[in-house]
Amino acid sequence: MTAELAHHLANQGFSITSGMATGIDGAAHKATLAVNGTTMAVLGSGVECIYPKRHQNLYHDIINTGCVISEYWPTIGPFAGNFPRRNRIVSGLSLGTVVVEASRKSGSLISARLAMEQNREVFAVPGSVLGGYSQGCHDLIKNGAKLVESAADIIEELGCLSDYHLEQLHLRHHIQDNDTSDLPFPSLLASVGYETTAIDVVVEDSGKPIDLVLIQMLELELQGWVAAVPGGYVRLKRS
């Protein structure tokens, strides 16, 4: 399904952005390249650390026809915390985010929530009610995501938006300037110490679900309240 959607969208001139991970990400990139489309990969590592290693050929194919993006120093490895953090870039670069398959604990739901916060369109592909592999998609649809059966469902929604420039979309971005809030997410911020605090500790102390914690921690990091470090987060001293 991912390959079919990417194939038709690329043929219509849409660029496909994903994370170059195994599975759905890789299928999206490969299907786009197969029709000479443009695809972008946002990495959870530095650009000199190709992960997963099986995607080395895919990495170079993407560079030849699109681009590879990373906010990390070139030699930074694929730390677990990097991947949910990079999802805000995937959704921010895109007019819409498509969730093809997701359980209720899937990291894909973080991307969908970020897209909603960024005023982007969210799409979800329904699946079987057995096995739990599409529960996350069904929840998104119940909450307003557009049900997708074919690329036409996406093109219908995005056609009028595709003429917008990224500068215009940026005006609707959810990230606020630091001076617009004295203390964002105070209960969450109080859970992070000035020494490394594991994400599990933050979740337990804050009493919030992990997907919401990850989103709000991204906000705090972008606003300069905390920093992501190996093993968790540290609170930053501010004047």
Side-chain angles (χ1 to χ4, degrees), residues 123-139:
F123 304 88
V125 177
S128 172
V129 297
L130 303 177
Y133 297 112
S134 292
Q135 285 179 327
C137 293
H138 296 163
D139 290 343

Side-chain angles (χ1 to χ4, degrees), residues 185-202:
F185 314 124
S187 63
L188 187 64
L189 193 56
S191 303
V192 183
Y194 290 104
E195 297 181 354
T196 302
T197 306
I199 187 64
D200 291 344
V201 174
V202 178

Side-chain angles (χ1 to χ4, degrees), residues 17-21 25 29 40-52 55 58-60 62-63 67-74 76-79 81-90 93:
T17 305
S18 199
M20 213 180 76
D25 287 18
H29 292 305
M40 296 180 285
V42 182
L43 306 184
S45 60
V47 293
E48 293 180 6
C49 183
I50 302 174
Y51 180 84
H55 279 172
L58 176 61
Y59 172 91
H60 293 293
I62 293 172
I63 288 177
C67 69
V68 171
I69 300 168
S70 175
E71 64 178 321
Y72 304 107
W73 290 105
I76 292 295
F79 297 111
N82 294 355
F83 294 94
R85 188 175 189 273
R86 65 91 190 273
N87 288 349
R88 78 190 195 286
I89 302 176
V90 175
L93 286 170

Side-chain angles (χ1 to χ4, degrees), residues 20-233:
M20 213 180 76
T22 55
I24 285 175
D25 287 18
H29 292 305
K30 291 174 183 177
T32 305
L33 293 169
V35 294
N36 297 315
T38 301
T39 185
M40 296 180 285
V42 182
L43 306 184
S45 60
V47 293
E48 293 180 6
C49 183
I50 302 174
Y51 180 84
K53 291 184 178 180
R54 71 180 70 175
H55 279 172
Q56 290 205 30
N57 291 336
L58 176 61
Y59 172 91
H60 293 293
D61 289 342
I62 293 172
I63 288 177
N64 289 335
T65 60
C67 69
V68 171
I69 300 168
S70 175
E71 64 178 321
Y72 304 107
W73 290 105
T75 57
I76 292 295
F79 297 111
N82 294 355
F83 294 94
R85 188 175 189 273
R86 65 91 190 273
N87 288 349
R88 78 190 195 286
I89 302 176
V90 175
S91 59
L93 286 170
S94 307
L95 291 170
T97 294
V98 184
V99 181
V100 179
E101 184 178 82
S103 66
R104 283 194 171 129
K105 294 185 178 180
S106 171
S108 300
L109 299 184
I110 298 174
S111 299
R113 287 179 180 270
L114 288 167
M116 292 177 186
E117 291 288 335
Q118 292 166 327
N119 289 317
R120 305 308 198 258
E121 301 298 324
V122 176
F123 304 88
V125 177
S128 172
V129 297
L130 303 177
Y133 297 112
S134 292
Q135 285 179 327
C137 293
H138 296 163
D139 290 343
L140 289 173
I141 293 169
K142 289 176 183 178
N143 290 320
K146 182 166 183 176
L147 187 152
V148 172
E149 295 178 309
S150 68
D153 295 320
I154 300 170
I155 294 169
E156 177 185 26
E157 200 74 22
L158 295 185
C160 62
L161 293 177
S162 60
D163 293 331
Y164 282 28
H165 295 294
L166 285 177
E167 290 80 6
Q168 292 172 301
L169 288 173
H170 178 72
L171 297 176
R172 303 191 303 170
H173 199 283
H174 73 296
I175 303 298
Q176 298 178 344
D177 293 334
N178 289 347
D179 59 2
T180 60
S181 175
D182 292 332
L183 193 63
F185 314 124
S187 63
L188 187 64
L189 193 56
S191 303
V192 183
Y194 290 104
E195 297 181 354
T196 302
T197 306
I199 187 64
D200 291 344
V201 174
V202 178
V203 171
E204 183 177 355
D205 288 351
S206 67
K208 296 182 178 182
I210 187 169
D211 55 346
L212 181 59
V213 167
L214 289 172
I215 291 170
Q216 293 183 348
M217 290 302 291
L218 288 177
E219 295 282 0
L220 291 172
E221 186 174 359
L222 290 169
Q223 293 184 26
W225 292 94
V226 301
V229 296
Y233 294 88

